[in-house]
Structure formats: C-alpha cells, structure tokens
Amino acid sequence: MALQLTVPNMACDVCAKNITNAVKALDSNAAVTADPNTKQVDIDTEVAETAIREALEKAGYPPAA
C-alpha cells in the first residue's frame, strides 16, 4: 500500500531519519522517503495506515489529518 502523509513538524534530516525508523520498526521492508523541505512522507508498506499514523505520533511526528 502506498501512503503519502504530510508531517508538519518534520524540520530536518534527523526528523526524517526518526520518521523512517518509526515506520521500519513496524515494517522492516517498507520503502520510506521523507522530505523535510516539503514535509511529505511517502511510504510503501503492507502495514495499515492507522498503525503507521500511531507509530509516527508516538515518535513525536503526528501526520496531518
């Protein structure tokens, strides 16, 4: 499943790395591209969107609705 999320408080490459790690903790095979400039995160995963959103929230990077 391909997801595109906006993460308003992703400000730098470290944020992007933290977001990537949060997703990969749920699905180690996920493809994650996080761009701090556009605040966009593209994720290709088998994990449900709800679980991804919860993981990002717990990591301190809640996606926009």
Side-chain angles (χ1 to χ4, degrees):
M1 165 189 356
L3 300 173
Q4 184 175 58
L5 303 172
T6 301
V7 181
N9 65 348
M10 175 175 41
C12 64
D13 289 337
V14 172
C15 298
K17 181 77 171 159
N18 291 338
I19 288 167
T20 300
N21 290 341
V23 173
K24 292 221 177 237
L26 291 179
D27 178 359
S28 61
N29 294 321
V32 183
T33 305
D35 185 345
N37 296 320
T38 63
K39 313 289 189 202
Q40 294 297 306
V41 181
D42 294 313
I43 305 166
D44 190 6
T45 181
E46 296 302 315
V47 176
E49 181 176 350
T50 328
I52 296 290
R53 287 180 170 274
E54 285 175 12
L56 293 180
E57 218 166 289
K58 284 181 184 174
Y61 301 97

